[in-house]
């Protein structure tokens, strides 16, 4: 179990929080615009950073089941980008929403468990653990 915020954990956390915020903003923004394309490329880069940095974050020196998500995310991102390029916008939208929900939402919930580093910071800082 990690006990400190190492540089890799900080990059991973920053990229995840930035992807979470940018993705939420993209849900509200108009689709298909130049701004959407630039924001989308930035979001993909952030998600790749989250996935890649996760391999240097291990509990007890070994990978966990959540690292399967880190393997899947780049593949799913490639599929989502492919769908956008080929004009299959419905599949593109579904893919990116799914990555956002599972890749950031589900993983984020597990990150906030009380025994995890960020969870200890949040819940301990609130005086709940």
């Amino acid at each position: 179990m990690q006990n400190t915020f190492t540089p890799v954990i900080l990059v991973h956390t920053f990229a995840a929080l930035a992807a979470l915020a940018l993705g939420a903003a993209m849900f509200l923004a108009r689709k298909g615009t130049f701004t959407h394309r630039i924001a989308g490329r930035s979001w993909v880069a952030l998600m790749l950073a989250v996935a890649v940095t996760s391999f240097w974050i291990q509990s007890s020196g070994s990978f966990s089941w959540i690292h399967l998500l880190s393997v899947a995310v780049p593949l799913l991102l490639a599929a989502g980008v492919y769908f956008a390029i080929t004009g299959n916008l419905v599949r593109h939208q579904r893919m990116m929403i799914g990555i956002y929900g599972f890749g950031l939402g589900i993983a984020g919930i597990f990150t906030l468990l009380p025994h995890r580093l960020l969870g200890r910071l949040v819940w301990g800082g609130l005086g709940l653990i």
Side-chain angles (χ1 to χ4, degrees):
M1 175 170 47
Q2 294 283 337
N3 290 317
T4 60
F5 283 95
T6 65
V8 171
I9 291 174
L10 290 172
V11 169
H12 179 80
T13 303
F14 171 78
L17 291 173
L20 189 67
L22 182 57
M26 289 181 68
F27 287 136
L28 302 173
R30 190 165 169 234
K31 310 302 180 271
T33 64
F34 176 75
T35 303
H36 176 82
R37 288 191 293 277
I38 295 300
R41 289 176 180 139
S42 300
W43 185 78
V44 167
L46 288 167
M47 289 301 294
L48 287 172
V50 172
V52 170
T53 57
S54 73
F55 291 109
W56 282 271
I57 303 170
Q58 300 174 12
S59 179
S60 305
S62 61
F63 294 116
S64 69
W65 64 269
I66 204 151
H67 285 93
L68 293 174
L69 194 56
S70 300
V71 172
V73 163
L75 300 172
L76 296 172
L77 287 169
V81 169
Y82 172 79
F83 294 141
I85 290 169
T86 58
N88 193 337
L89 301 181
V90 171
R91 289 184 82 182
H92 165 73
Q93 183 180 33
R94 288 180 183 161
M95 183 67 69
M96 295 312 194
I97 290 171
I99 295 168
Y100 183 87
F102 285 102
L104 291 171
I106 302 292
I109 289 169
F110 282 100
T111 300
L112 292 173
L113 290 174
H115 69 280
R116 306 282 304 253
L117 179 61
L118 198 56
R120 286 195 315 269
L121 177 70
V122 170
W123 307 120
L126 295 173
L128 300 175
I129 60 169

